[in-house]
Amino acid sequence: MNPSPEERPVRAASTLILLRDAADGVEVLMLKRHGLSETLGGAFVFPGGKVDAEDAALDGEHFLDQTASVLHDRLGEQDIDTATAVGLYVAALRETFEESGLLLAQQLAPAQSDAALARLAQGTAFNALLAELQLRLCVDALAPWSRWITPPSSANKRFDTRFFVARAPEGLLARHDERETTEARWVLPRPALQSYWDGELMLAPPQIMTLAHLARHATVDSALTEARARRPALILPHILGQGDTRTMCYPGDELHPVRERAMPGPLRLFARNKRFEPLDGFEGFFG
């Protein structure tokens, strides 16, 4: 017998939103999921993936630039232990490195980054790779941004995903891995949402709402300052209806169980025209 929606397992995952300053504003790194991927095939997403047990087992004293207690406190989740908190940060960096070739580590030169990526492709485990190359991860650069939990009524696999933001490392080239991802692209939030609106870019609701939020920032410093000044928002989407009649409600909406708003942007997205739309049209993303 298949488990009920409420009984389906919820996997811990981490996502890293890498930002860089550009002439027209803040650019965000997005990767196109392989069209055959089980989850979000063909969609543009931020780098990230499931948390592995080894992520929490990394020796923080030797391989992290911040203590476990500080990382745990920044997450603001008192119901998890410090090792679990550390694992969330490490998973975000590991998955980003695996999918985009970008690794936030102290004094990492481009040539050393290429060598590390080659060793990873040969099957070297991430923790062993850090020890081999004596690398210290820049977990202190990651600021918790939000936490999204897939609702029980979703047709997709369920994840409890922590989103982090960080400034992209300079001098390193983002690339796709040709397995999980087929394209790496730096985008400006508002034009990316316009491309989504025009049917040129496929996005899932967490990416839509995050881009709408980031569009309010003109610089990386501005986004990081906001992230460091507040606890990460907990987003529990509430789905009404099915298929082409779905409505995605967010905290603060009158039909959502949580009445306090968690983030800027629309409180509802409606499934229309094969996309999710705010009630007031495109400009509703930024109201």
Side-chain angles (χ1 to χ4, degrees):
M1 185 189 319
N2 292 328
S4 67
E6 291 76 11
E7 294 173 333
R8 284 189 297 157
V10 182
R11 289 291 308 271
S14 289
T15 286
L16 181 54
I17 306 164
L18 285 175
L19 308 174
R20 70 181 186 184
D21 289 310
D24 297 326
V26 178
E27 289 186 331
V28 188
L29 178 64
M30 302 199 77
L31 304 173
K32 186 176 183 180
R33 298 280 296 169
H34 195 288
L36 298 179
S37 297
E38 290 186 25
T39 304
L40 300 178
F44 277 82
V45 299
F46 311 118
K50 295 186 292 294
V51 177
D52 293 339
E54 292 78 9
D55 296 324
L58 189 65
D59 182 353
E61 183 178 351
H62 292 94
F63 301 111
L64 304 180
D65 70 343
Q66 185 52 270
T67 64
S69 60
V70 169
L71 298 178
H72 179 265
D73 182 64
R74 288 176 181 173
L75 274 180
E77 299 181 37
Q78 300 306 313
D79 58 337
I80 64 173
D81 58 29
T82 55
T84 300
V86 167
L88 293 167
Y89 286 82
V90 173
L93 292 177
R94 174 183 55 77
E95 285 284 345
T96 297
F97 183 48
E98 292 174 356
E99 293 182 351
S100 73
L102 295 180
L103 180 61
L104 274 69
Q106 291 182 350
Q107 300 178 334
L108 180 66
Q112 191 178 25
S113 177
D114 292 340
L117 197 60
R119 295 286 291 137
L120 195 70
Q122 294 167 2
T124 303
F126 184 69
N127 290 3
L129 179 67
L130 297 178
E132 180 181 309
L133 299 179
Q134 298 183 352
L135 295 176
R136 185 179 290 268
L137 295 178
C138 296
V139 290
D140 195 43
L142 274 60
W145 181 260
S146 60
R147 178 184 179 186
W148 288 72
I149 302 178
T150 310
S153 56
S154 173
N156 298 318
K157 293 180 179 179
R158 299 191 66 202
F159 293 98
D160 183 351
T161 307
R162 280 72 167 190
F163 285 64
F164 299 88
V165 290
R167 186 183 300 274
E170 296 183 2
L172 299 179
L173 178 67
R175 66 197 83 183
H176 51 276
D177 63 9
E178 291 291 0
R179 298 188 303 276
E180 295 185 50
T181 60
T182 58
E183 184 180 345
R185 185 186 300 187
W186 289 96
V187 303
L188 292 164
R190 187 183 179 101
L193 287 171
Q194 184 67 62
S195 294
Y196 165 74
W197 194 259
D198 296 338
E200 301 167 357
L201 206 69
M202 179 178 170
L203 297 171
Q207 283 70 37
I208 294 169
M209 296 297 288
T210 301
L211 289 172
H213 192 166
L214 289 170
R216 291 160 167 79
H217 292 282
T219 65
V220 175
D221 282 343
S222 173
L224 292 177
T225 297
E226 181 201 326
R228 290 168 179 155
R230 61 166 173 80
R231 293 296 188 188
L234 174 59
I235 314 298
L236 300 158
H238 186 57
I239 300 177
L240 303 175
Q242 296 180 347
D244 293 338
T245 65
R246 279 178 300 164
T247 300
M248 198 79 68
C249 300
Y250 297 106
D253 185 89
E254 62 182 11
L255 296 180
H256 194 284
V258 178
R259 301 311 301 271
E260 183 178 354
R261 177 184 279 272
M263 58 184 170
L267 292 175
R268 294 186 196 179
L269 293 179
F270 299 86
R272 295 172 178 163
N273 304 314
K274 298 183 179 180
R275 67 190 180 200
F276 284 100
E277 302 181 0
L279 178 63
D280 300 327
F282 180 74
E283 290 299 326
F285 286 126
F286 315 105

